[in-house]
Amino acid sequence: MQVITTICELKEHLKTLQGSIGLVPTMGALHKGHISLIEKSVKENDFTVVSVFVNPTQFLPNEDLDKYPRNEEGDKKVCELCKVDVLFMPLAKEMYFEDEPLIKAPAKIASILEGATRPGHFDGVLRVLNKFFNIVRPTRAYFGKKDAQQVAIVKNIVKTFFMPLEIVPCDIIREADGLALSSRNVYLDEEQKLSALKLSRSLLKAGNLIKSGEMDSNAIKLEMKKILEPLKVDYVAIVDREFREVSKVELENTIILVAAYVGNTRLIDNIWV
Amino acid sequence: MQVITTICELKEHLKTLQGSIGLVPTMGALHKGHISLIEKSVKENDFTVVSVFVNPTQFLPNEDLDKYPRNEEGDKKVCELCKVDVLFMPLAKEMYFEDEPLIKAPAKIASILEGATRPGHFDGVLRVLNKFFNIVRPTRAYFGKKDAQQVAIVKNIVKTFFMPLEIVPCDIIREADGLALSSRNVYLDEEQKLSALKLSRSLLKAGNLIKSGEMDSNAIKLEMKKILEPLKVDYVAIVDREFREVSKVELENTIILVAAYVGNTRLIDNIWV
């Protein structure tokens, strides 16, 4: 495995590769969720590039950029074990310039839910991904469905910017008890981890209600909110795959999402039905 | 020559080409200025794609989008004669989507001169060029130095977005009397064409002053403004090749620019010294 830190070196190395390239863009602190993306990429492509970059432009001023978990040595071991070809770990000063164009995320799809709570977050996500896509020129790029709105917005930029790559959404990986894996779970103590289960349980409840024939969004959201109590809920939402709110669940075209605070930690989770 | 109007068809056709691709993005109404770009591209690349697209997003609401000169049949003939491989003439509805990311041109370099008079203009230019670059994936793209600030801003996006292509700036083509060629010259009547010569003459004067050893920007600008009278001058500027205003001319690193109105028509011109 090549560990590369400069864009120039990466471009030179990529020139030597003949075949399909899978890109797994991450912020490091790799866990089983990331591993499932990496394994999928390794399986589906001739070469896999994993990027580890805690992207400053997608954090809001009051967010956890400084304390975001970092584990460079662990990330290297994970990538090595997964047979990654290139681990790319650039510095921010490599990625950004003093005077450069900005990207404004799509007005509609990026202004709701995560976009409403974290204004500017998706601008930063697209700003860095656009660079990664141009540098690596991957055949496919892999994203976790846990960041469901991000998946929709990344698919939007690929389509509307006419980028020649395929976005591959990957299933959420959960602990045995249902907690969706997240690098931010390290912020939770044992008691908070129990409280955090309310998110996945509320979604399990939603899934069961739908199986029993309940398709009314408001009715489902009401039951979910009962389970989420007493957590501070940011949103409970039921949208179609283009992230338009829907009043009725339509099977194979619906995503149910929840965002809530456990202590000071903001957690998100969702199911695709 | 292939005349292609849909992105899908263009992408399919490009897949069949093996070799370097030169892109000449234009708004049509092709004149000798464009022809010099096209000829350079044909000479330097295995294949040349000329795009003709009057890009609505780079016109301000009060500008001349509706009356901008169009000459589809003439453009086809010019491209055919120049041995262009692909003439791409998309519709706006092919290029733009209802909800898509926007590009904000670099804050510093795009807010002065043309950017100050035409706020949003460069956002629209970069928005469409980013799409063209992703669709065509050219080896080189050709731009006229007449739009000197555009050249600098396009070079900026290529560098900061890590786009794998080379920007080739091409010399300004002038009428025998010095008037820089522009599609907008058709707006001028014979008398206005004579007034328009004040722009190139002011630049000729600047060049002569520099040859005689005058390097002080203010002194040069003063002489230029005398020649431009009584035209309504938008700006006279002396900048380095990164478009920072300079108080002294530095040879091989200076651009002298002028923008002025002849009647209702806004004209620009410049020299690189």
Side-chain angles (χ1 to χ4, degrees), chain A residues 229-267:
Chain A
E229 275 175 20
L231 296 185
K232 186 182 152 201
V233 174
D234 186 2
Y235 59 77
V236 170
I238 301 183
V239 300
D240 67 17
R241 298 287 164 90
E242 266 82 50
F243 269 80
R244 291 170 293 219
E245 294 240 15
V246 292
S247 58
K248 295 273 174 204
V249 170
E250 187 193 343
L251 293 178
E252 300 299 322
N253 190 31
T254 302
I255 309 173
I256 305 179
L257 308 108
V258 55
Y261 291 86
V262 175
N264 291 321
T265 305
R266 186 171 178 278
L267 298 173

Side-chain angles (χ1 to χ4, degrees), chain A:
Chain A
M1 184 177 77
Q2 302 274 325
V3 180
I4 296 179
T5 57
T6 70
I7 292 160
C8 181
E9 206 187 334
L10 178 63
K11 283 195 157 185
E12 282 307 308
H13 182 72
L14 291 171
K15 276 184 197 163
T16 68
L17 307 183
Q18 290 287 331
S20 60
I21 296 178
L23 171 67
V24 186
T26 82
M27 298 213 298
L30 302 179
H31 52 61
K32 284 182 195 162
H34 299 109
I35 292 173
S36 75
L37 272 61
I38 295 171
E39 285 177 342
K40 199 169 165 64
S41 173
V42 169
K43 198 173 150 193
E44 294 180 351
N45 300 279
D46 298 318
F47 304 97
T48 288
V49 177
V50 174
S51 63
V52 168
F53 181 60
V54 182
N55 173 33
T57 65
Q58 72 188 69
F59 288 81
L60 274 66
N62 60 335
E63 289 185 346
D64 57 345
L65 172 60
D66 292 332
K67 66 168 189 164
Y68 193 85
R70 284 158 170 89
N71 182 8
E72 204 169 301
E73 287 313 307
D75 294 345
K76 280 183 194 170
K77 275 183 198 145
V78 165
C79 288
E80 197 113 42
L81 286 169
C82 289
K83 303 203 181 301
V84 165
D85 298 281
V86 177
L87 173 56
F88 180 47
M89 305 176 113
L91 295 173
K93 66 174 184 182
E94 273 273 291
M95 296 298 293
Y96 291 114
F97 296 80
E98 194 217 335
D99 196 27
E100 65 171 35
L102 301 180
I103 293 181
K104 185 85 199 127
K108 284 188 186 169
I109 196 174
S111 61
I112 56 170
L113 305 177
E114 291 300 298
T117 303
R118 307 181 69 190
H121 166 68
F122 288 122
D123 301 345
V125 169
L126 295 184
R127 188 172 168 191
V128 79
L129 286 177
N130 177 61
K131 290 175 190 256
F132 278 131
F133 291 164
N134 277 335
I135 296 166
V136 178
R137 318 201 89 186
T139 318
R140 300 177 187 87
Y142 295 78
F143 291 87
K145 286 183 179 175
K146 182 161 165 296
D147 295 301
Q149 196 174 356
Q150 175 176 275
V151 169
I153 290 168
V154 173
K155 280 190 163 185
N156 174 293
I157 197 175
V158 166
K159 176 182 163 190
T160 61
F161 276 22
F162 303 104
M163 292 170 165
L165 77 153
E166 183 193 344
I167 298 303
V168 184
C170 302
D171 287 339
I172 295 174
I173 304 295
R174 300 178 179 281
E175 304 280 9
D177 59 13
L179 181 65
L181 293 196
S182 163
S183 300
R184 288 189 171 101
N185 288 353
V186 299
Y187 299 151
L188 305 173
D189 63 28
E190 287 310 308
E191 199 180 327
Q192 288 175 325
K193 273 192 182 160
L194 287 176
S195 296
L197 291 177
K198 289 177 184 293
L199 278 81
S200 56
R201 281 186 191 146
S202 74
L203 293 166
L204 189 65
K205 175 74 179 180
N208 286 335
L209 283 167
I210 291 165
K211 273 181 207 153
S212 72
E214 178 60 80
M215 295 293 170
D216 183 75
S217 295
N218 283 335
I220 295 165
K221 288 196 273 188
L222 204 65
E223 291 299 317
M224 288 175 69
K225 283 174 185 166
K226 282 184 199 165
I227 291 173
L228 289 163
E229 275 175 20
L231 296 185
K232 186 182 152 201
V233 174
D234 186 2
Y235 59 77
V236 170
I238 301 183
V239 300
D240 67 17
R241 298 287 164 90
E242 266 82 50
F243 269 80
R244 291 170 293 219
E245 294 240 15
V246 292
S247 58
K248 295 273 174 204
V249 170
E250 187 193 343
L251 293 178
E252 300 299 322
N253 190 31
T254 302
I255 309 173
I256 305 179
L257 308 108
V258 55
Y261 291 86
V262 175
N264 291 321
T265 305
R266 186 171 178 278
L267 298 173
I268 60 172
D269 199 353
N270 65 76
I271 53 169
W272 299 44
V273 294

Side-chain angles (χ1 to χ4, degrees), chain B residues 220-266:
Chain B
I220 296 166
K221 288 196 275 188
L222 205 65
E223 291 300 316
M224 289 176 68
K225 283 175 186 166
K226 282 184 197 163
I227 292 175
L228 288 163
E229 273 174 21
L231 295 186
K232 186 182 152 202
V233 174
D234 187 0
Y235 60 75
V236 171
I238 302 184
V239 300
D240 67 16
R241 299 287 164 89
E242 266 80 50
F243 268 80
R244 291 170 294 218
E245 293 241 15
V246 291
S247 58
K248 295 273 173 203
V249 169
E250 187 193 343
L251 294 178
E252 300 300 321
N253 190 32
T254 302
I255 308 173
I256 304 178
L257 307 107
V258 55
Y261 292 86
V262 176
N264 292 321
T265 304
R266 186 171 177 279

Side-chain angles (χ1 to χ4, degrees), chain B residues 2-15:
Chain B
Q2 301 275 323
V3 181
I4 295 180
T5 56
T6 71
I7 293 160
C8 182
E9 206 187 332
L10 178 63
K11 283 195 156 186
E12 282 307 310
H13 182 72
L14 292 173
K15 275 184 200 163

Side-chain angles (χ1 to χ4, degrees), chain B residues 130-143:
Chain B
N130 177 61
K131 290 175 190 256
F132 277 132
F133 291 163
N134 278 334
I135 295 166
V136 178
R137 317 202 90 186
T139 318
R140 300 178 187 87
Y142 294 79
F143 292 87

